[in-house]
Amino acid sequence: AVCHLEGPLLVLAGAGSGKTRVLTHRVAHLLSRGVSPGAVLAVTFTNKAAEEMRTRVERLVGPEAARIWVGTFHATCARILRQDGREIGIDPKFAIYDTQDQVAAVKEALAKLDLSEKNFPPRSVLGSISAAKNALLGPPEFEGTASDFWARTVARVFPIYQEILRRCRALDFDDLIQETVRLFTEHPRILARYQGRWRYILIDEYQDTNHAQYVLVKLLAQKYRNLCVVGDDDQSIYGFRQADVRNILEFERDYPEARVIKLEQNYRSTGTILEAANEVIDNNVGRKGKRLWTENPAGEPVILNR
């Protein structure tokens, strides 16, 4: 997984199998083979994970690590939009709305439509808007799919919510990815520049990507196809955030030439815990299939609480 250089790579990494170590050493190996740090993009899901990766890579390669783009999906897209968002009418100094700001904007939209917050809880409305954006649907497209009373009501709120954001020169977290995909789709010249820049792309926790993130990664990796994704189909728990485990299960459909490597040795848990976990997860359908093992001692028996 570390030494593989050219072409798509799927690393199925079980729990406690040294996934972060593999990712950081892979980046260091790329640099040792003459790859420019500026040609590497590493994407993680949390700021903490991004900082951890940056620190570890720096320990391995030194100050050169500062030139590698390491960040979350949202931070990466925010940088792209601040640089090139003007092309689609986005002010480079846009504000980023957090959940509290978003809820306030939904409340304002509900008030404009004279809709009750009791009947249409702002957080629930926001959840539906977020799901639409993660599926790359704007207000008109979402309205076209609205098939019940709730969805039709959200379809009325959605454009007003977007107008409030636009008036305040703000984007929410979902906009960061949706608008970057729109920028790349509407301006192939800009997409080509980023494709040429990032020759090697690494994505962590790939099982937790949603449709918008999947499309973004696919666009960026189109030119060189040097895409390394690391994840665990057995740890996909973010369906409620529109994560789609099919992105990792069907990676080889998108990249038939992909190399698949399984990290099955666990360094963290006892043998008994792993055996119990293996027996439970074996019952799942829609998984690649791997069996974790360890050289650690068997340890204490598993305690079952009912």
Side-chain angles (χ1 to χ4, degrees), residues 15-189:
S17 62
K19 178 185 64 170
T20 307
R21 182 180 170 85
V22 164
L23 272 173
T24 52
H25 278 74
R26 178 174 167 79
V27 172
H29 182 68
L30 287 170
L31 269 53
S32 76
R33 297 295 296 266
V35 174
S36 163
V40 179
L41 169 67
V43 181
T44 65
F45 266 78
T46 65
N47 290 319
K48 187 182 174 187
E51 197 48 50
E52 167 78 3
M53 188 185 287
R54 194 180 285 108
T55 304
R56 288 212 209 176
V57 172
E58 204 168 313
R59 227 175 280 149
L60 291 168
V61 304
E64 271 196 314
R67 289 178 52 214
I68 301 166
W69 270 52
V70 182
T72 62
F73 272 103
H74 296 102
T76 302
C77 289
R79 282 177 74 177
I80 291 169
L81 290 173
R82 291 203 192 279
Q83 285 180 17
D84 294 294
R86 277 189 199 279
E87 299 282 353
I88 52 170
I90 293 173
D91 186 323
K93 293 180 180 169
F94 62 83
I96 299 173
Y97 268 18
D98 61 16
T99 307
Q100 202 176 339
D101 299 322
Q102 290 173 265
V103 169
V106 169
K107 286 181 176 180
E108 189 182 330
L110 288 169
K112 280 193 173 185
L113 292 167
D114 202 21
L115 292 169
S116 156
E117 288 183 24
K118 190 178 173 186
N119 293 337
F120 300 97
R123 284 181 181 273
S124 301
V125 173
L126 185 59
S128 296
I129 291 173
S130 176
K133 289 183 179 185
N134 287 328
L136 295 176
L137 300 176
E141 295 83 13
F142 179 74
E143 189 178 11
T145 67
S147 57
D148 57 30
F149 179 65
W150 172 266
R152 285 193 292 273
T153 306
V154 172
R156 292 170 61 203
V157 176
F158 195 174
I160 298 172
Y161 169 79
Q162 284 303 105
E163 185 50 47
I164 292 166
L165 262 64
R166 196 160 36 245
R167 192 183 69 220
C168 299
R169 294 194 303 179
L171 300 177
D172 63 22
F173 283 113
D174 301 314
D175 285 331
L176 293 173
I177 294 168
Q178 187 182 34
E179 292 299 306
T180 304
V181 169
R182 182 163 78 90
L183 172 69
F184 287 162
T185 308
E186 292 180 9
H187 297 274
R189 175 182 51 82

Side-chain angles (χ1 to χ4, degrees), residues 184-197:
F184 287 162
T185 308
E186 292 180 9
H187 297 274
R189 175 182 51 82
I190 293 173
L191 171 61
R193 176 155 41 88
Y194 284 100
Q195 284 175 336
R197 175 180 190 165

